[in-house]
Structures are given as C-alpha cells and as structure tokens.
Amino acid sequence: MLNKKRILLAEDEDHLLEAIKLNLELEGYKVSTANNGKKALQIFKEERFNLVILDVMMPEIDGFVVAETIRLENSEVPIMFLTAKNTNEDKISGLKKGADDYLTKPFNLEELILRVNNLVKRSLKGDDLKEFNSYKIGDKTIHFNSFELVNGDESITPLTKKETMLLKLLIERRNEAVSREQILETVWNYDVYPSTRTIDNFILTFRKYFEPDPKNPVYFHSIRGVGYKFTDNQH
C-alpha cells in the first residue's frame, strides 16, 4: 500500500504499545513508536506524521510537554492523549496543551481505532485550520516557518530556530508569565540547560528587535523570580 498514513505512538507500557501498534498496522497505518517523551520528540523532528498519540505519564519528558513542544513547531498535526488521568481538570489541561482528543485508560481498542480514523481524515482535509505562520509586533512581522523577521522598511533579519520557538511560546502565552522551567521544557527539551543569563540574552535581543526603547520595554518583560512575559494588548 503506497502512501500509508503515518502515526507516531508514544507509550511506556510495552505490552500496550505493541497491542496498539499491531491494531493500527492492521488498519493500514505505518506506526513509529517511542517509549519515552524525549525519543518521541526526536522521532517527530525526523519524520512527517498524520497523527501523534501520546501517553501522558512518560519517562524523560511527559506527554503534555511533548504536545506543547510539537505545537510550537506544528499547529496542524492532530494529537491524541492516552492516559489513566481521567478527571475533568486533566482533560481540560490536555486540551489546553493542544490536544485534539483525549482517551482514558482502560479503553476499547475499537473505540481507539474509530477516533484515530476520524482524526487522520480530518488532518487530510486540513480541517480549515489556520497555521500560526506569522505575527506582527509594531511595524515588524515574524515569519515562523522561514525563521525571518521582516522590518517596516522590508529589510529582513534572520532568526535562529531557538529564537523563533521562544518567540512563538511567549506570543502564544501573551499577557501571561511563562516560567523558566516551561521555557526549558518546551524550547530546550532539557537537552542543554541554558543558564538564566542565556534566556535573559534572548529577551535582550528581542527588545533590540522590537522595542521602541529597549531600556523601557513595553512588549518583553522579565518577571523577577518567575520567568518572562510578552505583553501585547493589540491582539
């Protein structure tokens, strides 16, 4: 079968991982697997997928953080959580992290397959979702896909991938304080532990890019003892 639809499945219980993988393959899907969050992110960055299925309680990096990190780079791929956490608060938290569906354990495999089929069909239609491709701050526009900042005079400033991801995280959480811990998890994936000074330097760079007066910022703020905040009341 050509052009098999591809699914990334991350689950740390081996017997459940194998059972789900087998059933998805019987449905004609090509399945890549990971048994921890860090490996799931590595695989996601190397391949393209029509659906991501994530266990929440995983070693290394949990499913919620994996979903948030994926969402910084890709707002279209459907994400489904599998979890034993079944309170309404857990479900709401999962959906806020960017999930499209949430299935609690223990579950019926037939129901899982039906939900998977629906999510994959929706992803193929595009579901009229708008990719969060650009964002305007003052007279400058960030283009997230091309890692570029287009200035008011049409000149272009290249952005690094880390700059782009951090900008996207702060903008998605605009008017909220984002902790250093959250930035470490979603932008750096704990591969490298940047010091507070490293993140401060990114914020200083953003002020040079966007602030009319970098010494009196209106957009990018350091919140002492907490983290950082992007403020924009125009959006």
Side-chain angles (χ1 to χ4, degrees), residues 43-223:
I43 294 171
F44 183 81
K45 288 173 182 178
E46 290 165 4
E47 303 175 37
R48 291 182 68 85
F49 294 97
N50 301 99
L51 173 65
V52 178
I53 302 173
L54 298 171
D55 179 27
V56 173
M57 305 293 284
M58 287 190 292
E60 302 277 353
I61 303 173
D62 73 43
F64 284 159
V65 173
V66 173
E68 275 197 297
T69 306
I70 287 172
R71 281 287 173 256
L72 289 179
E73 298 189 41
N74 187 318
S75 62
E76 292 185 346
V77 64
I79 296 174
M80 177 195 285
F81 282 127
L82 299 179
T83 179
K85 300 175 93 175
N86 59 4
T87 67
N88 284 334
E89 289 81 4
D90 288 324
K91 289 180 182 177
I92 289 164
S93 178
L95 295 170
K96 279 183 174 174
K97 303 291 187 192
D100 300 271
D101 204 352
Y102 193 107
L103 190 58
T104 55
K105 299 174 182 177
F107 52 82
N108 180 295
L109 273 168
E110 194 173 347
E111 182 184 358
L112 171 69
I113 297 297
L114 286 171
R115 290 184 183 221
V116 164
N117 290 342
N118 287 336
L119 286 170
V120 171
K121 270 185 209 160
R122 208 171 84 189
S123 82
L124 295 174
K125 284 183 194 165
D127 200 34
D128 297 326
L129 287 173
K130 274 189 164 180
E131 174 70 45
F132 182 26
N133 283 334
S134 62
Y135 190 90
K136 191 164 186 181
I137 301 175
D139 65 345
K140 299 180 178 182
T141 304
I142 307 158
H143 291 279
F144 295 104
N145 288 349
S146 57
F147 308 125
E148 289 176 336
L149 176 63
V150 178
N151 305 297
D153 59 3
E154 298 300 312
S155 64
I156 292 174
T157 303
L159 299 170
T160 68
K161 188 171 184 183
K162 286 280 190 286
E163 283 177 335
T164 308
M165 288 176 75
L166 181 52
L167 279 169
K168 194 167 192 182
L169 176 64
L170 293 172
I171 289 167
E172 284 181 343
R173 300 289 189 81
R174 59 188 166 273
N175 304 322
E176 292 177 28
V178 182
S179 69
R180 292 187 183 87
E181 182 79 5
Q182 195 129 38
I183 290 170
L184 278 171
E185 287 180 338
T186 52
V187 177
W188 271 267
N189 302 145
Y190 287 128
D191 285 340
V192 178
Y193 281 87
S195 66
T196 299
R197 188 176 294 278
T198 303
I199 304 175
D200 279 341
N201 286 339
F202 275 76
I203 300 299
L204 288 172
T205 301
F206 296 161
R207 287 176 184 159
K208 284 178 192 166
Y209 289 159
F210 299 105
E211 302 284 3
D213 177 4
K215 290 185 178 173
N216 295 289
V218 294
Y219 296 117
F220 293 93
H221 309 274
S222 298
I223 312 296

Side-chain angles (χ1 to χ4, degrees), residues 28-45:
Y29 293 109
K30 179 167 175 42
V31 183
S32 298
T33 60
N35 57 11
N36 66 66
K38 189 170 183 180
K39 187 176 177 189
L41 280 173
Q42 287 170 347
I43 294 171
F44 183 81
K45 288 173 182 178

